[in-house]
Amino acid sequence: MTTPFQHEPGSAAGPVPPPQCPAHGMGIGPGGLRRLYGPEAESDPAGLYEKLRAEHGTVAPVLMHGDVPAWLVLGHSENLQLTRTPSQFSRDSRRWHALRDGSVAADHPLAPIFTWQPVCSFAEGETHERLRGAVTDSIARIDTRGVRRHINRYSNRLVNDFCQEGHADLVSQFAEQLPMMVMCAIVGMPEDYSERLVEAARDLTRGTETAIASNAFLVDTLNRLVERRRETPAEDFATWLVEHPAALTDKEVAEHLRVVLIVAYETTTNLIANVLRMVLTDPRFRARLSGGHMTVPEAVEQTLWDEPPFTSILGRWAVGDTELGGQQIKAGDALIVGIAPANTDPVVRPDLTAGMEGNRAHMAFSSGPHECPGQDIGRAIADVGVDALLMRLPDLELSVDEDKLTWVGNFVSRHLVDLPASFAPSPQQKIDDEPLPAMARSRAATDWEVASPGRKSPGGAVPAGHAPAGVRTADPLAASAQGALIPGQRTGRTKIWHAVVRWWNGH
């Protein structure tokens, strides 16, 4: 069985393009393989994916930071196979031959992502079921209406900080702040929310020189939280993990809190920023939204297709020698789930301009047994947050030319640096002083997705767990989430419609 990875870190390098070659310095590394890092990869990842697709098909050999070899899976069906067959492709990074032979050092910039930890995202079989069960059971205890109140209140608090100025950077002043504020409240550490925490979360997934230190800061913060919750339980996610019948150790609790906090933060920050960028730069997108032809939840779903929060995920590791997408994969090889390229696979999406609202076949939250269990929390933060911002500042306009916008990141995520916007100054809104609502459910379970209406299938049935197209929850206490309206959208409802909605939601 052959492999294109003739170059391995720490060994003699394979053929390198000569200095005069046009490929030199253009994202081509040892062995003629394309790099997933560097200026070319960061400035035009979509272009890189298409080059790889043209050269190798649905699975391509690539180089990560430090020219560490891996396979990037580009095809939609191949990504489904990768994520849905743990017997062939494991999440246990200890299988990686580059780790076993010392080719990849413990201080590698991507170590916070691939270093094995006692969490469900690195486990398989019974261990995975035990750990993931603790996470999903704890998520199920969250009161969706209470969290939506948190999101709306925090959103308005952030808008109050700049609404009188007439201008703001919607990334640093809103998109990067709101998810951490909400997640700190859910996890049980609102007092720990700080700019330092935001910076650490932003830093540790990007392969920077300070990623290790940022990760250590976050882990130390969460370890202290676990100690507090062992001594003083509360109605929050940390306590529910501590008290779960699965009997997680303190380290297991802290590491799961870390994964939940970081994944939710990074994905939701990018999602909010990308939705707002689409609103401010695409006239058709904004016209459909403001004209009532698209709801904010539908706009979020469209963005999950076009600009997924995570562009790819490391990783999976081959359990044994196998084949994927026509490529021969060796046991211990690293594979990258190609979220963004899967979403643009011409086999499943031949027309990239076609609207995808209501279609959740995207790979934005991965798939299979390791699919993101908290994805609808992220959807809720984006739905309610974007709606609250647009309700307060309906005349938002981009302050610079679109081509002046810049991104940073690595192959894992693409982060908008800033989104300067202008608007007519408006007064601050009073934020009530009542205590924030409890996080625990006080009633029967509801669906996080009630604000993200689904589409009917060709047969006329509605997918389980989704409201009919256009139906929103009849919960008057979650007005910010249920309507997801901006000025100019339809708002009228009849008593009959109220009755239908209440019936659909089981009231």
Side-chain angles (χ1 to χ4, degrees), residues 21-87:
C21 176
H24 204 87
M26 294 294 290
I28 303 296
L33 301 183
R34 293 191 181 274
R35 293 185 169 110
L36 282 184
Y37 67 98
E40 182 183 13
E42 293 176 8
S43 62
D44 185 20
L48 175 60
Y49 300 147
E50 292 315 304
K51 290 177 183 178
L52 290 169
R53 206 188 304 270
E55 293 167 356
H56 302 284
T58 57
V59 178
V62 295
L63 297 173
M64 299 185 295
H65 290 68
D67 288 341
V68 177
W71 297 96
L72 174 63
V73 183
L74 302 160
H76 190 274
S77 63
E78 287 77 13
N79 271 290
L80 291 180
Q81 181 181 346
L82 176 69
T83 55
R84 294 180 179 181
T85 53
S87 60

Side-chain angles (χ1 to χ4, degrees), residues 7 39 54 85 123 141 170 244 259 265 268 272 342 363 379 400 405 441 455 489 500-502:
H7 167 72
T85 53
R141 295 183 64 175
L170 299 182
H244 193 273
V259 171
Y265 170 76
T268 311
I272 293 173
M363 291 288 299
R379 280 190 175 98
V400 299
L405 299 178
R441 291 192 189 280
R455 295 290 189 207
Q489 247 182 300
V500 171
V501 176
R502 289 180 61 79

Side-chain angles (χ1 to χ4, degrees), residues 65-119:
H65 290 68
D67 288 341
V68 177
W71 297 96
L72 174 63
V73 183
L74 302 160
H76 190 274
S77 63
E78 287 77 13
N79 271 290
L80 291 180
Q81 181 181 346
L82 176 69
T83 55
R84 294 180 179 181
T85 53
S87 60
Q88 289 182 299
F89 306 104
S90 173
R91 280 290 287 134
D92 191 339
S93 62
R94 292 173 296 184
R95 294 179 179 273
W96 195 4
H97 55 69
L99 281 178
R100 293 201 303 267
D101 65 19
S103 298
V104 177
D107 61 350
H108 188 277
L110 296 178
I113 299 175
F114 65 68
T115 301
W116 184 89
Q117 299 140 23
V119 295

Side-chain angles (χ1 to χ4, degrees), residues 35 42 69 111 119 154 171 206 224 239 282 298 310 361 438 474:
R35 293 185 169 110
E42 293 176 8
V119 295
Y154 288 148
V171 173
R206 297 184 185 171
R224 293 197 305 270
T239 298
D282 190 331
E298 287 172 334
F310 279 168

Side-chain angles (χ1 to χ4, degrees), residues 298-354:
E298 287 172 334
V300 168
E301 217 61 39
Q302 179 69 46
T303 305
L304 288 170
W305 275 100
D306 296 335
E307 288 281 354
F310 279 168
T311 52
S312 58
I313 300 175
L314 175 71
R316 296 294 191 278
W317 288 271
V319 175
D321 292 353
T322 187
E323 183 271 341
L324 181 66
Q327 300 283 13
Q328 300 301 312
I329 312 297
K330 281 189 172 183
D333 277 359
L335 298 100
I336 301 168
V337 181
I339 294 173
N343 283 0
T344 58
D345 186 346
V347 174
V348 297
R349 199 179 173 195
D351 181 6
L352 297 181
T353 65

Side-chain angles (χ1 to χ4, degrees), residues 158 169-187 189 192-206 214 217-218 222 256-274 304 308-310 365 372 374-379 381-382 408 412-417:
L158 288 171
D169 172 22
L170 299 182
V171 173
S172 64
Q173 293 180 265
F174 191 80
E176 289 184 341
Q177 303 299 326
L178 180 61
M180 187 60 75
M181 295 174 80
V182 176
M183 290 309 301
C184 281
I186 290 176
V187 168
M189 46 186 280
D192 290 310
Y193 168 77
S194 66
E195 186 61 34
R196 177 70 182 92
L197 197 64
V198 171
E199 290 175 357
R202 192 169 49 211
D203 182 53
L204 67 85
T205 63
R206 297 184 185 171
S214 294
F217 169 79
L218 181 64
L222 293 173
H256 279 89
L257 290 174
R258 170 186 172 276
V259 171
V260 168
L261 192 65
I262 296 309
V263 172
Y265 170 76
E266 180 71 9
T267 57
T268 311
T269 291
N270 290 342
L271 181 56
I272 293 173
N274 290 335
L304 288 170
F310 279 168
F365 299 106
C372 177
Q375 58 187 271
D376 289 312
I377 298 178
R379 280 190 175 98
I381 297 173
V408 296
V412 175
S413 67
R414 187 167 180 255
H415 190 89
L416 189 62
V417 174

